[in-house]
């Protein structure tokens, strides 16, 4: 199994690059943002509880997303590997993920961290808000709150994986193809290692 985390702030291109990477490497895409949005669309109790946090640009409580990921791992026993997108976002989530993967006899192979400047992130997200239908992409204050939440809580996740020498920084500005090539190169190196 080859499991990777695509890591970076909101608007860094995780969703776009994930789609291409799962196709190239045959991985199962697990995006907690997508899973939460489908819970909201289905008006489930979990979705309703998560929505109030998401609408403010805040993180949903750890227990909720960890439980969601745990079920997703159990529901995909045949997967060649997983690409985690938007998860883990806190150190507690990273520790929980390590434990879950460990129980399945596997681990995270690499964390690819996309590097994008704050001004570029805000520009991209406002632009995405014109077409995405995502309520958290249209308001600049909510966008900035999400980026601040990332800096306050999520940046620490990279430090957690740095201890295990699993983090590769990847330039996240440039064309989609250029960034995809850089990501693929890092993955190919880890697969060959
Ligand atoms: P995303 O689609 O990854 O930008 O996520 C959209 C929103 O969903 C975030 O702003 C959070 O409110 C929530 N969310 C997604 N993933 C997580 C996570 N791993 N932990 C906590 N909240 C999350």
């Amino acid at each position: 199994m080859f499991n990777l985390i695509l890591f970076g702030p909101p608007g860094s291109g995780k969703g776009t690059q994930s789609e291409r990477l799962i196709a190239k490497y045959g991985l199962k895409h697990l995006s907690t943002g997508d899973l939460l949005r489908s819970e909201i669309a289905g008006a489930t109790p979990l979705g309703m509880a998560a929505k109030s946090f998401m609408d403010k640009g805040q993180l949903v409580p750890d227990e909720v997303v960890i439980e969601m990921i745990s079920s997703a791992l159990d529901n995909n026993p045949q997967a060649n590997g997983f690409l985690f997108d938007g998860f883990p976002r806190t150190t507690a989530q990273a520790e929980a993920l390590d434990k879950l993967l460990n129980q399945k006899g596997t681990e995270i192979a690499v964390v690819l961290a996309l590097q994008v400047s704050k001004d570029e992130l805000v520009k991209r997200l406002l632009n995405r808000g014109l077409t995405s239908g995502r309520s958290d992409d249209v308001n600049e204050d909510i966008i900035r709150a999400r980026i601040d939440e990332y800096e306050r809580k999520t940046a620490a996740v990279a430090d957690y994986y740095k201890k295990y020498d699993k983090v590769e920084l990847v330039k996240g500005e440039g064309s989609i193809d250029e960034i995809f090539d850089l990501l693929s190169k890092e993955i190919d190196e880890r697969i060959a290692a």
Side-chain angles (χ1 to χ4, degrees):
M1 253 195 170
F2 186 86
N3 306 301
L4 74 95
I5 296 172
L6 192 54
F7 189 74
S12 57
K14 298 188 297 291
T16 307
Q17 296 295 340
S18 292
E19 291 304 327
R20 294 181 159 216
L21 292 170
I22 55 163
K24 177 164 180 180
Y25 294 99
L27 304 173
K28 171 78 188 159
H29 186 193
L30 289 184
S31 154
T32 39
D34 287 350
L35 292 170
L36 289 166
R37 280 184 289 278
S38 74
E39 295 280 345
I40 292 175
T44 66
L46 190 157
M48 294 303 95
K51 189 173 182 328
S52 56
F53 294 96
M54 293 167 77
D55 282 347
K56 288 184 268 194
Q58 296 170 354
L59 294 183
V60 171
D62 286 335
E63 315 80 73
V64 175
V65 282
I66 291 168
E67 186 52 42
M68 243 175 30
I69 286 288
S70 172
S71 317
L73 292 177
D74 288 343
N75 291 338
N76 289 282
Q78 310 296 340
N80 287 327
F82 293 95
L83 186 161
F84 297 93
D85 161 8
F87 178 89
R89 261 176 155 101
T90 62
T91 309
Q93 291 178 20
E95 285 167 355
L97 178 62
D98 273 359
K99 223 182 256 171
L100 288 170
L101 292 176
N102 201 282
Q103 284 163 6
K104 299 192 185 298
T106 184
E107 62 176 1
I108 292 295
V110 67
V111 179
L112 300 174
L114 290 165
Q115 310 290 301
V116 180
S117 75
K118 199 164 177 172
D119 285 346
E120 173 71 14
L121 294 174
V122 174
K123 202 171 84 190
R124 285 187 191 177
L125 289 168
L126 283 170
N127 207 25
R128 184 168 83 185
L130 299 175
T131 53
S132 69
R134 278 182 58 167
S135 54
D136 57 350
D137 281 346
V138 282
N139 176 314
E140 185 161 343
D141 288 341
I142 296 175
I143 288 175
R144 291 200 179 268
R146 284 158 62 204
I147 298 172
D148 289 348
E149 189 83 326
Y150 173 85
E151 284 170 354
R152 213 169 32 239
K153 296 188 182 158
T154 304
V157 174
D159 293 335
Y160 174 87
Y161 287 105
K162 268 182 204 154
K163 281 191 303 205
Y164 305 101
D165 200 22
K166 291 190 174 175
V167 181
E168 296 292 348
L169 304 184
V170 177
K171 191 167 152 252
E173 297 190 40
S175 74
I176 291 175
D177 284 343
E178 279 163 2
I179 299 165
F180 182 66
D181 287 347
L182 293 174
L183 292 169
S184 297
K185 193 172 140 263
E186 294 295 346
I187 294 173
D188 292 342
E189 276 172 17
R190 292 276 172 162
I191 289 175

